[in-house]
Amino acid sequence: MHIINDFFLLVWSERLDKNVVFDEKNRAKLDQTLSTAFDNFCDSAAILCIISPHNFANMASLEEPKSLLKTLFETSSFTKEIVQHAQIQLLLYLINLGNLRVNQAIIKRLEYLKKEGIISYDVERSISGVLSLIEEKKIEIASLHVKRSSTQENYYKTALHSLSTAIENIAQALEIPRLKERLNLIPERLANQRFSIGITGVMNAGKSTMLNALLGEELLGTSVVPETANLTVIKYAKEPYAVVNFWNAKEWGNIEKGSQTLKSLEAFVKESKAHFGEKFNTLVSEKGVSERISVNDLALYTSAKHSDKKCNLVKSVELYTDLKFVQEGVQIVDTPGLDDPVIQREEITLEYLSECDLMIHLMNAAQAATQKDVDFIIDALLYRNVARLLVVITRIDAIKEKELQEVIAYTKRSIEARLREQNKGAKLDEIIAKIVFIPIAGKLALMHKLGREQEALALGYDMQKTGLPLVEAYLEEVLFGSNSQKANLIIASNQKEIESIIEESLRSFEQEFQLLNLSNEEIEQAYAKHQDDKKAMMHFLEQIKSSVAQSKEEMRNYFTTLQTFASNRLSTLQNVLKRRISDDVSYEMSKHKKLPKEERVASIIETAMKDGMVDLVRDYRYEFQKKMQSALEYMDAKYGEFKSDAGERTFDAKAFCEEHLSSVLLFKNSSVVIAGVNDAIKKQGKNDLSALNMSLDALFNEEFSGMKAMIHEKLRTINETLLESFSILIQAPASAIEERFLGEEALLENAMRQMKDATQNREARMLEIKEKERVLGIVLDDLHVLKESK
């Protein structure tokens, strides 16, 4: 109020004889004028402020003072009372606004009026002095609440909670829509991660018993006859249920084809067809049938004892349960026995195991390590990329402690001997280091879980002695501990993405803060320069995008070359394999006058095919990597400034190829071809090598034709993934430049709007930026602590 009194004493030499009140109906008009026509508002305010008794008559004769009264206060009269009322309302508005930028702009106009001789020095000093008394409106920015992570569970869950807390904190500070979209994708990506455990072993090894003990519920039947006669994938769901998947016609056709060579499979096929008769085609259809069933009915489809042979036609089962152990993306792959007569089920098992984070192989303590066990363990570790292997020795309650140690020692010796036999001795220490042995009494552990602990205790086994807690602790550490490769990869990749989002947001805030400190003239100059740079930058980016599109098309065409390369390598492998067998038969006949043993033939075929496929995939990776690296180097050479402008780019081509090509390592079960080769050797090996070679040609042509089709289809899918990843990789620097450039443009455009709109308070925005930078800084520090605490 004293400001208005001072104004009237200085301008009108009068005191106000009544309290003044701001008329709210004026606010909307004044706000609109200020925000849409800043210069006009300040011009009008300066003219209104200088109207006094000394110039009132002259002002009344001019159109501009009348016009500004009409614009700001919607009145066309020009009387002393109306002018004074308008001056009071203007001053009250400026006091309430508390914006120094507006007041200073009006004072500048008063200085101009004095310079032009329209008002005197004393008038300018007096009115400017009154306006300078208007205090800057105190800006209060609400503090953002920063949550802190408090969960202390295993490494993975603790890290997940930390990332979720970070995402929640960041969300309240982010402003750029593109960064918000990136942040919103992370929770979904974390939720979709999978940890896979493969359970393997020969029939009657105790897989179902141990699995029931782990899950704490007798879901899977246990019996002396094979119960889980198919692959069962156990996943999490709040409401338990199961899905049964039957063979389709093509898959069953392959089973029937195999039965022509393998007698065990022949009996299985005949039994199945005879048992189901006309109903067979309702379960084995062209596309394949799936049924959703109750968990309680599982045995009616999977048990060899209870399913009325229906288990013969079941390819796999998906079991959904609410048990805690399969939460957090864990899935358990419970496999049929390794001695399953249906080799197609073994092939499905092997394909699943190639993606397992952990394989648990069970061996009955009373049977020690069979040849099948040892071969499977070596195959898994040598050829199927199984990173960790837990060997569980079951039914330890049936043998003595000394015998148990002998079983473990014998298993290790058998693995070493088999590796040396295959000339893999150099990998001995590496493979043995991946194996952990834990002995358990599964049935007694299950008693404890089912509330029958007294029975187990009576036999001298508390829960700890059953060995199951050791298995659970091992699983916890391998899947979710700080040394878990997959857990670390998941956490590290998503943490890196969060940090990238924070850092980009902080850079944007810093740029905006610098703009807010510039004068209007400097902002206009910066915007004009950016518009000039934009044309050159857009032209530069178009050139880069054109080169990227060309590189992508060249890579697409190169995949055709790689497909041919893979096919030729398989043809070479086929010829090598045929020659090795033919040479071995010839050598044995000339040297020892007898045919090679069937086991030796089997070893030659399996080793040659697996090593051949490993070599094929390795060379395929190398050829793709070489081509990709060449494309990247071309871009760097052609657009050197582009590379440096985009910042330091690091790229691990080897890791990239391994990530995308790991699933190509696909092997078919060799039982059929081994049986066929041995049969041909028996018939023709002694008397007619020429006829043997013709038989081998026919066998291998059929086998490798199927393999070429399989790998062609596999590579076709993977090549699309590789191409998309390559495309993203090669255009990432250009995308980063474009995003940064457009981000800067958005900041400049916003600064231009703020410059013209005085209702946008710069000081308030600067405080808001600092508060959001504080939050992002805290989250970034917490993420660094998470990384260091691993």
Side-chain angles (χ1 to χ4, degrees), residues 444 447-448 452-462 465:
L444 299 173
M447 287 180 181
H448 279 279
R452 296 162 53 194
E453 60 272 7
Q454 293 305 318
E455 297 177 47
L457 291 171
L459 295 171
Y461 280 80
D462 60 12
K465 191 176 178 182

Side-chain angles (χ1 to χ4, degrees), residues 370-638:
T370 66
Q371 189 65 45
K372 190 78 172 178
D373 286 313
V374 174
D375 288 347
F376 186 79
I377 288 171
I378 291 173
D379 181 79
L381 293 173
L382 208 55
Y383 297 110
R384 308 214 177 265
N385 297 325
V386 172
R388 305 287 287 271
L389 171 64
L390 172 63
V391 175
V392 174
I393 311 294
T394 63
R395 299 175 184 170
I396 60 171
D397 49 313
I399 64 171
K400 296 178 181 178
E401 176 63 28
K402 183 179 179 182
E403 294 174 310
L404 173 62
Q405 296 307 316
E406 289 175 356
V407 168
I408 295 174
Y410 173 74
T411 304
K412 288 183 177 179
R413 288 197 304 271
S414 298
I415 292 171
E416 291 178 14
R418 194 79 175 90
L419 285 170
R420 296 190 193 283
E421 184 182 319
Q422 294 189 20
N423 296 318
K424 306 292 183 183
K427 296 187 177 182
L428 183 61
D429 292 339
E430 176 189 340
I431 290 176
I432 295 297
K434 292 181 178 181
I435 307 175
V436 173
F437 290 84
I438 297 179
I440 70 165
K443 188 174 181 180
L444 299 173
L446 181 57
M447 287 180 181
H448 279 279
K449 290 290 186 80
L450 297 178
R452 296 162 53 194
E453 60 272 7
Q454 293 305 318
E455 297 177 47
L457 291 171
L459 295 171
Y461 280 80
D462 60 12
M463 177 56 93
Q464 195 63 35
K465 191 176 178 182
T466 67
L468 190 70
L470 292 177
V471 175
E472 292 174 329
Y474 178 82
L475 292 177
E476 185 84 1
E477 177 56 30
V478 168
L479 294 177
F480 306 120
S482 58
N483 291 321
S484 166
Q485 292 180 355
K486 187 160 187 178
N488 282 323
L489 180 64
I490 293 169
I491 296 302
S493 61
N494 286 284
Q495 180 172 338
K496 184 178 180 180
E497 172 68 352
I498 292 173
E499 288 174 347
S500 172
I501 291 170
I502 292 175
E503 288 164 358
E504 188 171 342
S505 185
L506 286 172
R507 284 196 297 271
S508 176
F509 281 140
E510 183 182 356
Q511 289 174 337
E512 184 179 0
F513 196 85
Q514 291 173 352
L515 288 174
L516 290 169
N517 278 307
L518 297 179
S519 67
N520 293 350
E521 291 78 13
E522 289 171 325
I523 292 173
E524 289 175 338
Q525 290 171 5
Y527 184 76
K529 183 179 183 305
H530 187 277
Q531 292 304 302
D532 290 339
D533 293 343
K534 184 176 180 179
K535 296 176 183 178
M537 179 60 70
M538 290 299 108
H539 177 68
F540 182 54
L541 288 175
E542 282 302 317
Q543 286 183 306
I544 294 171
K545 288 178 181 179
S546 176
S547 294
V548 166
Q550 181 181 345
S551 295
K552 185 176 177 180
E553 189 58 31
E554 288 177 0
M555 185 62 77
R556 186 187 296 279
N557 294 333
Y558 187 66
F559 282 133
T560 303
T561 303
L562 286 180
Q563 292 276 38
T564 304
F565 165 81
S567 183
N568 290 340
R569 288 298 295 269
L570 284 174
S571 296
T572 301
L573 176 59
Q574 175 182 340
N575 294 329
V576 167
L577 184 54
K578 177 201 155 186
R579 188 177 66 249
R580 283 184 186 176
I581 293 172
S582 181
D583 289 350
D584 198 66
V585 171
S586 179
Y587 174 82
E588 288 294 327
M589 286 300 298
S590 63
K591 186 80 174 176
H592 304 294
K593 307 300 180 185
K594 62 180 182 179
L595 295 173
K597 292 181 179 180
E598 290 187 0
E599 293 81 2
R600 175 169 174 76
V601 172
S603 178
I604 290 173
I605 292 172
E606 288 192 339
T607 303
M609 289 182 70
K610 289 173 181 175
D611 286 346
M613 281 297 295
V614 168
D615 291 343
L616 186 156
V617 173
R618 182 196 61 219
D619 293 344
Y620 191 96
R621 288 173 180 168
Y622 173 75
E623 293 298 328
F624 170 76
Q625 178 180 331
K626 185 171 65 174
K627 180 67 174 178
M628 180 175 58
Q629 202 67 47
S630 173
L632 293 172
E633 288 171 0
Y634 167 78
M635 292 293 289
D636 288 342
K638 187 171 184 179

Side-chain angles (χ1 to χ4, degrees), residues 332-351:
I332 300 174
V333 182
D334 184 26
T335 70
L338 300 182
D339 37 2
D340 191 318
V342 185
I343 59 174
Q344 281 73 16
R345 280 204 285 248
E346 188 173 329
E347 288 179 2
I348 295 172
T349 296
L350 294 175
E351 188 160 2

Side-chain angles (χ1 to χ4, degrees), residues 644-657:
S644 61
D645 194 37
E648 190 65 28
R649 182 176 66 199
T650 57
F651 171 65
D652 186 344
K654 183 175 183 293
F656 177 88
C657 290

